[in-house]
Amino acid sequence: MTDALALTRALTAVDTVGHGETAALEVVAPLLRDAGFRLEVFEHEPGRGTLVAEWETGHDVPPLCLSGHVDTVPLGGAPWQHDPFAGETDGDRVYGRGVSDMKAGVAAIVTAAVTVARSRPRRAGLRLVLTAAEETGSQGARFVADRLGPSGPLVITEPTANAAFHGHKGALWLEALATGVTAHGSMPHLGDNAVVKLAAAVSRLAEYRFGVEPHPVMGPPTLNVGTFTGGLNTNSVPDRAVATVDVRTVAGQDHAALLETLAAVAGVEVRPLIDLPPVWTDPGDEWAASAAAIVREVTGAGGEVATATYFTDASVLTPALGGVPTLICGPGEPEQAHVTDEWCSITRLAESVEILTRVCAGWCGI
């Protein structure tokens, strides 16, 4: 069961589409407990647990932290050719909802951690944080963030096809609300049209220029108006309209200041739905450089510095752990996240176990 593929399949068999993460954690808990880890599960809602597992954390050097989430997104409306909860294999691929995003990454963490725990560390231990509810704004990570002690660097095994990503953009999701006064559609002068107000507001937002230079790796910040709803019926003046806006920020941007600016640009009520800051680790950081070198040795890939466009629990965990160096590196394919017939390469899964085992062994002094 410590085989990473078998563990990936076992995790995939547990339906964690927006629920049931504690049941998935029960798949890995016995393996970690038998390897000598101390375990504690924190549920922010019944059945929605986040596991903190620690091994040999009494050294002067703080533990290396490995993290991944076990929740998944819905299946979507299109039919699947492979059972989304069976972990079916075909050639070099294992299929199922969440195998790339990111149950294979979690399986790689546990497999590597159990392997390392067979040895006696001379320098430091390990901490695993396996979270719930990452997909909807990192609620699981938030719930345990203030319960974590001093930490060494952080590795998040989100899907990168085993490339070493040095961070990711931030996510600031907003709700814009316009209100008005309803009236009969034949007498619009007696009302105050909220849809028209909001349409003008989101047009101003869509034209907003951030006034910051593109990040040399992350590129520029972006803004997308994702949804727009309003009105009761055709022959009434609408008195309420709501839009949602997805802002992706880059290192150096302050979300509080940006929110204030965007509210002023919109001219309507604006409130945050998700507020997850960007994460960036200098490639020149000693630990990050050594970990990236291991990645290159194992995969044979080049050393291009890259970041993710998606957010991860690092937005919560990196600052909670003291702004530690952070890498995102996992076996899943980024393009497979959230798609029908999602798959992960079995070869990349094996590579991920080797990468994590070597990174852990190096930090722990094994």
Side-chain angles (χ1 to χ4, degrees), residues 58-80:
H59 296 262
D60 291 338
V61 176
L64 181 71
C65 187
L66 309 176
S67 183
H69 66 86
V70 294
D71 64 311
T72 62
V73 297
L75 300 182
W80 284 57

Side-chain angles (χ1 to χ4, degrees), residues 283-332:
D285 173 84
E286 182 180 359
W287 171 82
S290 66
I294 290 172
V295 171
R296 292 193 299 272
E297 290 170 7
V298 172
T299 65
E304 300 83 3
V305 178
T307 55
T309 56
Y310 52 74
F311 66 78
T312 79
D313 279 333
S315 289
V316 175
L317 296 178
T318 297
L321 296 174
V324 296
T326 300
L327 286 184
I328 304 158
C329 182

Side-chain angles (χ1 to χ4, degrees), residues 233-260:
N233 55 322
T234 303
N235 58 335
S236 293
V237 175
D239 62 354
R240 189 175 190 274
V242 179
T244 56
V245 181
D246 181 352
V247 181
R248 300 294 169 131
T249 57
V250 301
Q253 288 187 280
D254 178 77
H255 281 199
L258 180 59
L259 175 61
E260 184 177 342

Side-chain angles (χ1 to χ4, degrees), residues 41-304:
V41 175
F42 303 92
E43 291 191 335
H44 70 278
E45 294 177 11
R48 306 205 69 181
T50 291
L51 173 67
V52 178
E54 296 184 330
W55 172 76
E56 294 282 351
T57 56
H59 296 262
D60 291 338
V61 176
L64 181 71
C65 187
L66 309 176
S67 183
H69 66 86
V70 294
D71 64 311
T72 62
V73 297
L75 300 182
W80 284 57
Q81 300 301 308
H82 297 269
D83 185 334
F85 301 114
E88 296 175 3
T89 59
D90 184 4
D92 188 50
R93 295 180 178 182
V94 54
Y95 289 86
R97 173 49 86 222
V99 289
S100 264
D101 187 16
M102 57 171 295
K103 289 182 175 179
V106 170
I109 285 174
V110 173
T111 305
V114 168
T115 299
V116 170
R118 295 176 184 145
S119 302
R120 182 176 297 277
R122 299 188 309 274
R123 183 173 182 269
L126 296 175
R127 174 184 292 125
L128 276 56
V129 183
L130 307 181
T131 65
E134 185 271 350
E135 296 285 3
T136 51
S138 296
Q139 291 94 333
R142 292 181 191 278
F143 195 66
V144 301
D146 62 356
R147 295 175 167 89
L148 304 175
S151 179
L154 171 65
V155 180
I156 304 268
T157 56
E158 287 275 10
T160 69
N162 285 339
F165 285 6
H166 288 257
H168 59 75
K169 286 187 171 182
L172 181 61
W173 293 1
L174 307 173
E175 180 183 79
L177 169 66
T179 58
V181 177
T182 190
H184 196 282
S186 68
M187 296 175 284
H189 59 286
L190 298 180
D192 183 16
N193 194 308
V195 166
V196 171
K197 282 184 179 179
L198 191 61
V202 297
S203 292
R204 290 191 293 269
L205 289 173
E207 294 171 358
Y208 175 72
R209 299 296 175 261
F210 290 88
V212 298
E213 291 295 321
H215 187 274
V217 179
M218 295 181 177
T222 61
L223 183 151
N224 177 65
V225 179
T227 67
F228 191 114
T229 59
L232 300 171
N233 55 322
T234 303
N235 58 335
S236 293
V237 175
D239 62 354
R240 189 175 190 274
V242 179
T244 56
V245 181
D246 181 352
V247 181
R248 300 294 169 131
T249 57
V250 301
Q253 288 187 280
D254 178 77
H255 281 199
L258 180 59
L259 175 61
E260 184 177 342
T261 298
L262 292 177
V265 169
V268 297
E269 181 183 346
V270 175
R271 69 179 186 91
L273 299 173
I274 287 179
D275 185 351
L276 295 169
V279 174
W280 169 248
T281 293
D282 187 334
D285 173 84
E286 182 180 359
W287 171 82
S290 66
I294 290 172
V295 171
R296 292 193 299 272
E297 290 170 7
V298 172
T299 65
E304 300 83 3

